DNA sequence: ATAAAATTAAACCACTCGGTCTAATTAAGG
DNA sequence: CCTTAATTAGACCGAGTGGTTTAATTTTAT
């Protein structure tokens, strides 16, 4: 079929560009320039900008879910320590962008989640996938008596997830990790058994 | 000076439009149409779209800070109960938009906080103002022994604030209050003394 | 009343946007 | 090798962007 350009490569460029610059602030031409493909080829792969963005989220969301799953499966620490090391890693990963890049799916949700049902539901679907991965680890931590059982595993997963997103919003404008570290310390102290 | 149009009214229209639709998704023409003023008049008041957005944030940020301050000053409950009633009210206010409108300053931060230093610092400044109001109430709650003293009042204020923002992100795509209520319950249980 | 300053009004500008179209090129099948 | 289908290529399109300009109107000061 295709012979020169690779859909996945274009999606990866889209991921980078959208995550750093948002959706409406980015034109198709910017994607074309950064991925080095002409417009005709782009519209051969994707129906529209919206369709493209949806597929970007889809690919990233699924890749990230698998990555998380593997991370926790390979982690040899206790469930709670796995979660802590995961979030510590997440915080470190944000250093590259001066803590202002954030998460693509969160950024997209906030920017267009209200007007664009297609992107909103795509985003929500992937959130749910991630939350289930987190919840399974939380659940183990509850069995270990490391994590409070006052709330369900999924509720605690949502709590971790939404809390971290709130922090990402804050660091978008503070542009340093100070509050990320405080959030980390507070959250894991509070959800302890 | 001015005789027909009122700067504050245009800013209020800007607040509504930007909050619901974001920054880059909104053109000056939309602001003009909804506020019923011609372009010439707009550029008589504001230097540019960016300048306009900055002033929108400025006005809303300051109004909101005063509103919060008054709310807590007039609240006759205990400090913790004041905080709870405040967030309960915040959650209810979001019902109007099917829980997908969010906070203007948060939305702006996430959308343009990374690229636009002017808007980022304006947003951050108002966050800090709000956080100080919250922190003063938290502080009273700590004196009452209603709220944990394991962390500083400002840290807890940030925790509440960022947590609520994370929840706003989530409801942008879930579009219902379920998780807002869970967050409320969890947070206030966790920060209790 | 009149001159000067401020404001209102909208036509207009260059530019960019997402998307289409047609032609050339390449790949695959018989 | 030749036909057919898919892909590549980018010029092109109408609509909309933020912003400027110029003229008319209204306010203020004299």
């Amino acid at each position: 079929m295709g012979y020169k350009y690779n859909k996945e490569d274009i999606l990866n460029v889209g991921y980078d560009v959208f995550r750093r610059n948002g959706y409406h602030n980015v034109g198709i031409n910017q994607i074309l320039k950064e991925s080095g493909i002409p417009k005709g080829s782009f519209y051969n792969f994707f129906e529209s900008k919206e369709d493209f963005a949806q597929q970007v989220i889809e690919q990233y969301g699924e890749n990230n879910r698998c990555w998380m799953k593997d991370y926790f499966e390979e982690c040899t620490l206790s469930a709670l320590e796995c979660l802590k090391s995961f979030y510590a890693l997440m915080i470190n990963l944000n250093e590259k962008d001066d803590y202002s890049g954030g998460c693509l799916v969160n950024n997209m949700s906030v920017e267009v989640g209200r007007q664009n049902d297609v992107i909103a539901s795509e985003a929500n679907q992937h959130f749910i996938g991630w939350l289930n991965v987190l919840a399974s680890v939380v659940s183990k931590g509850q069995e270990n008596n490391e994590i409070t059982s006052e709330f369900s595993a999924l509720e605690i997963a949502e709590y971790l997830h939404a809390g971290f997103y709130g922090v990402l919003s804050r660091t978008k404008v503070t542009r340093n990790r100070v509050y990320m570290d405080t959030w980390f310390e507070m959250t894991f102290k509070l959800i302890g058994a």
Side-chain angles (χ1 to χ4, degrees), chain A residues 1 28 124 135 137:
Chain A
M1 287 285 174
I28 294 291
N124 189 35
V137 185

Side-chain angles (χ1 to χ4, degrees), chain A residues 1-7 38 41 44-45:
Chain A
M1 287 285 174
Y3 86 109
K4 190 163 177 183
Y5 299 115
N6 181 299
K7 191 168 163 174
S41 310
N44 182 42
F45 286 121

Side-chain angles (χ1 to χ4, degrees), chain A residues 105-162:
Chain A
V105 190
N106 184 41
N107 294 351
M108 286 283 206
S109 296
V110 173
E111 184 181 347
V112 300
R114 178 163 203 273
Q115 317 115 17
N116 191 315
D117 293 345
V118 172
I119 290 180
S121 95
E122 186 74 40
N124 189 35
Q125 207 175 311
H126 291 286
F127 280 148
I128 291 170
W130 303 348
L131 287 166
N132 283 331
V133 176
L134 284 174
S136 75
V137 185
V138 170
S139 188
K140 280 181 202 149
Q142 289 176 316
E143 287 165 22
N144 293 349
N145 251 354
E146 291 178 305
I147 296 176
T148 179
S149 294
E150 276 187 291
F151 308 99
S152 76
L154 193 59
E155 283 172 339
I156 292 174
E158 278 265 22
Y159 194 77
L160 288 167
H161 182 70

Side-chain angles (χ1 to χ4, degrees), chain A residues 24-40:
Chain A
H24 288 111
N25 192 33
V26 167
I28 294 291
N29 290 317
Q30 189 176 343
I31 308 280
L32 303 180
K33 200 159 74 179
E34 296 208 25
S35 58
I37 86 164
K39 200 169 265 195

Side-chain angles (χ1 to χ4, degrees), chain A residues 25-190:
Chain A
N25 192 33
V26 167
I28 294 291
N29 290 317
Q30 189 176 343
I31 308 280
L32 303 180
K33 200 159 74 179
E34 296 208 25
S35 58
I37 86 164
K39 200 169 265 195
S41 310
F42 179 89
Y43 279 98
N44 182 42
F45 286 121
F46 308 102
E47 279 186 10
S48 64
K49 184 186 178 183
E50 185 190 58
D51 174 51
F52 176 64
Q54 186 187 351
Q55 291 195 42
V56 167
I57 296 175
E58 194 176 341
Q59 181 190 255
Y60 167 70
E62 186 54 19
N63 285 351
N64 192 54
R65 198 186 65 84
C66 293
W67 180 85
M68 282 172 68
K69 205 155 167 279
D70 291 347
Y71 182 91
F72 288 121
E73 271 167 14
E74 286 166 21
C75 184
T76 53
L77 304 167
S78 74
L80 177 61
E81 291 304 319
C82 281
L83 277 174
K84 287 174 81 165
S85 74
F86 173 77
Y87 276 104
L89 176 58
M90 287 291 112
I91 291 174
N92 284 330
L93 284 177
N94 271 277
E95 192 177 4
K96 288 192 200 85
D97 307 283
D98 289 321
Y99 308 102
S100 70
C103 162
L104 169 83
V105 190
N106 184 41
N107 294 351
M108 286 283 206
S109 296
V110 173
E111 184 181 347
V112 300
R114 178 163 203 273
Q115 317 115 17
N116 191 315
D117 293 345
V118 172
I119 290 180
S121 95
E122 186 74 40
N124 189 35
Q125 207 175 311
H126 291 286
F127 280 148
I128 291 170
W130 303 348
L131 287 166
N132 283 331
V133 176
L134 284 174
S136 75
V137 185
V138 170
S139 188
K140 280 181 202 149
Q142 289 176 316
E143 287 165 22
N144 293 349
N145 251 354
E146 291 178 305
I147 296 176
T148 179
S149 294
E150 276 187 291
F151 308 99
S152 76
L154 193 59
E155 283 172 339
I156 292 174
E158 278 265 22
Y159 194 77
L160 288 167
H161 182 70
F164 189 63
Y165 272 11
V167 168
L168 284 176
S169 287
R170 278 296 285 132
T171 56
K172 276 251 177 185
V173 295
T174 65
R175 292 181 189 167
N176 71 66
R177 65 180 289 159
V178 173
Y179 184 65
M180 277 187 168
D181 293 325
T182 311
W183 170 83
F184 181 90
E185 199 200 331
M186 291 182 72
T187 298
F188 285 104
K189 199 168 271 180
L190 294 174

